[in-house]
Amino acid sequence: MDALVAGGDVEAAIATARRHADTGDRNAAHRLAQLLAGAGRVDEMFAFLRPRLTDPRLAEALVEASAGHGRDDEVVALLREVIAAGEHLPSWRREPNNGTWLLSQVLERQGRVDEAAALLAVSFNDVTGLAELLARHGREAELVALGAGDDGERRRIAGASLVDMLLAAERTDEAIGVLRRLAAEGDQGAACRLARWLAEHARVDEAIDALLPVAAAIEPYPGDVHGAVWQLMELLIGRGGAGDALACLDELVAGGVGFDLRYHRLDVLFACGRADEAFAELHRLAAAGDQHAESSLARMLIAAGRLEEAESVLQPGRSDHLHGELLAEVLIRQGRVDEAITVLHAREPLVWGAAAGE
């Protein structure tokens, strides 16, 4: 369809989209709505979508395709009908949500911000949508009020949007103050964001101080904290080299940090040019049957351009997903594309949890 549009044959693109939409293809139906609206056939677009609005993808298509055509009152009425009928429309962009999120978008673009905000405040308790709306319109007092109280998640979401608003207004010191407050309350995302901003503005010592409490947290959410630890390691390496980074890791371990820092240490060694030390330890762990060590060693060898060694580490005959990805990368870099395709076809399906060793 896009090729037809690019070639100037919009009518053929519309016919193709309609043919696929008639078979139940939601993506084609969405594209058809866009094409009709773009061709000025707005009445036809409404007629096509009106009986299909219980499909969230097509309800959103109506909101998007109708923009700028002076039909927002009609869109509002249609969405209100669907909502009143009890047809929840989870947005394919935001979860959890329903048709009121789409309705709030149309109200906002009509300038009916108060109505949009009121709708989001009571519907599915959409704190994220409401916070973003208030930030877009500079409604600072309401945004601060939204983040008041004991609900930590609510405070985090409202605070993040308040920071966005303050930074957009170039009120940098105030934004940093909000980030510091959120970080002190245990918001790991705010601490990482604060550290990134400080580091970008050459305030490295302050960035490190912002991350240390997050890295030292006991048994935190693994994904966030592993990211924070590596961010901290990069700052320490940049400031003082591997010694500072390794010393910090040792302090975290001595303090009883609740997750395994072994691989962070090896990553630090590799990043600082002490690759042979990292390789030696990974070889030892892999020989003891640690499959994570095997994949980490292969990654590092690939990054170092030592492709033959990486291939030798990746045991032949295994078909798990990660092993296949790494081996295929090695083969492709060696120009052995046909072999890489065979390896990729032989991979086991990726199963979340199992792939992570859970």
Side-chain angles (χ1 to χ4, degrees):
M1 286 177 276
D2 289 338
L4 291 170
V5 172
D9 197 346
V10 176
E11 289 303 317
I14 289 173
T16 301
R18 191 184 300 278
R19 185 168 64 254
H20 288 288
D22 288 342
T23 68
D25 186 330
R26 300 166 72 230
N27 292 328
H30 188 280
R31 186 68 176 122
L32 174 59
Q34 293 175 323
L35 290 169
L36 290 171
R41 294 158 61 174
V42 181
D43 286 340
E44 196 174 342
M45 182 269 290
F46 269 84
F48 172 72
L49 289 178
R50 190 174 287 110
R52 297 172 169 83
L53 294 181
T54 54
D55 184 323
R57 175 88 162 133
L58 301 188
E60 187 150 352
L62 175 67
V63 171
E64 292 176 355
S66 63
H69 290 286
R71 304 277 289 268
D72 281 350
D73 285 341
E74 186 176 353
V75 176
V76 167
L78 287 170
L79 291 175
R80 288 194 190 281
E81 287 177 11
V82 175
I83 293 167
E87 296 287 352
H88 291 296
L89 304 174
S91 169
W92 56 284
R93 288 184 180 171
R94 189 183 301 278
E95 193 71 28
N97 220 314
N98 66 4
T100 55
W101 165 248
L102 301 177
L103 178 55
S104 74
Q105 289 183 12
V106 184
L107 292 172
E108 183 183 2
R109 77 188 185 201
Q110 286 183 303
R112 298 158 66 180
V113 179
D114 288 342
E115 292 178 67
L119 191 67
L120 291 173
V122 299
S123 174
F124 259 47
N125 195 26
D126 187 5
V127 180
T128 300
L130 177 56
E132 291 174 353
L133 173 73
L134 295 173
R136 282 194 297 273
H137 294 275
R139 296 169 69 149
E140 183 175 348
E142 292 169 79
L143 195 50
V144 170
L146 181 65
D150 297 329
D151 186 330
E153 182 69 2
R154 196 180 188 92
R155 290 169 68 84
R156 182 189 67 77
I157 292 170
S161 287
L162 178 59
V163 169
D164 291 338
M165 190 198 77
L166 293 171
L167 288 176
E170 298 185 353
R171 294 163 60 185
T172 304
D173 289 341
E174 293 171 79
I176 289 175
V178 174
L179 287 171
R180 288 192 189 281
R181 173 179 61 78
L182 293 170
E185 293 173 359
D187 185 338
Q188 298 169 0
C192 292
R193 185 177 182 185
L194 172 61
R196 281 194 299 271
W197 191 94
L198 292 168
E200 287 168 2
H201 290 79
R203 295 164 65 173
V204 175
D205 289 345
E206 291 177 76
I208 290 170
D209 288 341
L211 287 172
L212 280 170
V214 179
I218 302 299
E219 296 182 355
Y221 178 69
D224 287 348
V225 169
H226 279 286
V229 169
W230 185 244
Q231 188 179 353
L232 176 59
M233 292 303 101
E234 288 181 324
L235 291 171
L236 289 168
I237 290 168
R239 185 181 71 175
D244 284 355
L246 294 173
C248 180
L249 288 175
D250 290 339
E251 288 180 15
L252 292 173
V253 171
V257 69
F259 53 95
D260 188 355
L261 293 173
R262 180 189 328 166
Y263 289 100
H264 283 292
R265 170 179 283 278
L266 298 174
D267 286 336
V268 169
L269 290 173
F270 182 77
C272 292
R274 295 166 59 179
D276 287 340
E277 293 177 60
F279 292 153
E281 177 62 11
L282 286 168
H283 272 296
R284 185 187 69 77
L285 292 169
D290 185 336
Q291 290 191 357
H292 182 71
E294 181 182 300
S295 59
S296 294
L297 176 58
R299 279 200 196 95
M300 285 189 188
L301 289 167
I302 292 169
R306 294 161 64 165
L307 300 180
E308 291 182 2
E309 291 176 73
E311 185 179 358
S312 69
V313 166
L314 295 166
Q315 301 171 9
R318 284 179 51 190
S319 58
D320 59 86
H321 200 90
L322 177 57
H323 179 276
E325 291 279 357
L326 292 169
L327 181 55
E329 182 177 352
V330 170
L331 295 171
I332 289 169
R333 289 188 180 215
Q334 292 176 325
R336 297 154 62 187
V337 177
D338 289 342
E339 292 177 67
I341 292 171
T342 300
V343 168
L344 291 172
H345 279 306
R347 288 173 306 167
E348 295 172 356
L350 181 60
V351 178
W352 295 108
E358 296 177 2

